[in-house]
Amino acid sequence: MRSEREEVRNIIVYPFTVILGLVMALGLVIATGSQAQAAVYRMQIHEIYYNSPGPDYGGNSSLNHEWVELHNNSGAAISLADWTLRDKAGHVFRFGAYTIKPHGYVTIHTGKGAGTQTDRYWNRSWYIWNNTGDTAILENQHGTVIDKCSYQGTSQGYTYC
């Protein structure tokens, strides 16, 4: 036979243990979800300069003043190998072997140039980003959309995302 003391302990301790277990499990689910969300938002489209200064004559200098800037918002380096940046019309920039530094940025210019740590070049001979509005889409190597930025053309010629 159980003593009265054991029965009281079981009445108090058992439900407390169950509740504690549920709270810990819920905390794990919430923490896991937060980590997954944090991973998605580590790379972001920060700014699009869609209307280079002056007339659109197609010269390389003008083309390279049309660009998209990406930011790594995390404290870790991220490999962007095989990631893509695209517009609504289907123009696609594909990263080769490239790693962005923690809290770093990279600017993808429309025209031609030699790639550096902070500047990459689409090597196009005409403009990508429509002055009247467009959407930039950043996808990882698996085709998962990481970030999107849409804009409507304005006289300022650029947008922060």
Side-chain angles (χ1 to χ4, degrees):
M1 288 191 105
R2 291 185 181 173
S3 70
E4 195 174 304
R5 188 176 190 186
E6 287 178 61
E7 286 184 33
V8 169
R9 189 183 75 189
N10 284 342
I11 290 171
I12 294 171
V13 173
Y14 180 72
F16 178 74
T17 305
V18 170
I19 291 169
L20 181 61
L22 289 171
V23 167
M24 289 176 65
L26 180 60
L28 180 60
V29 168
I30 290 170
T32 303
S34 298
Q35 289 171 353
Q37 284 180 326
V40 169
Y41 296 109
R42 295 185 320 157
M43 282 301 305
Q44 290 185 316
I45 301 169
H46 179 258
E47 184 178 4
I48 302 172
Y49 204 111
Y50 55 85
N51 190 1
S52 58
D56 290 345
Y57 63 90
N60 197 53
S61 176
S62 178
L63 289 167
N64 282 332
H65 280 91
E66 181 183 84
W67 45 260
V68 175
E69 187 177 85
L70 307 178
H71 278 202
N72 175 355
N73 294 317
S74 77
I78 299 174
S79 171
L80 297 183
D82 292 324
W83 284 42
T84 60
L85 175 67
R86 67 182 68 236
D87 71 343
K88 286 192 307 189
H91 300 102
V92 178
F93 174 85
R94 183 174 301 278
F95 283 91
Y98 175 76
T99 299
I100 188 168
K101 294 180 179 183
H103 303 290
Y105 69 91
V106 61
T107 304
I108 297 94
H109 302 271
T110 298
K112 297 176 170 89
T116 67
Q117 179 61 39
T118 57
D119 294 281
R120 296 291 177 184
Y121 296 87
W122 210 303
N123 292 318
R124 302 285 299 199
S125 57
W126 198 250
Y127 303 92
I128 299 290
W129 306 104
N130 295 323
N131 293 350
T132 57
D134 210 336
T135 300
I137 305 161
L138 178 66
E139 296 177 342
N140 69 12
Q141 71 275 19
H142 304 295
T144 302
V145 174
I146 301 300
D147 198 15
K148 279 185 179 183
C149 179
S150 296
Y151 63 89
Q152 297 301 317
T154 65
S155 61
Q156 65 191 33
Y158 63 90
T159 189
Y160 290 103
C161 301

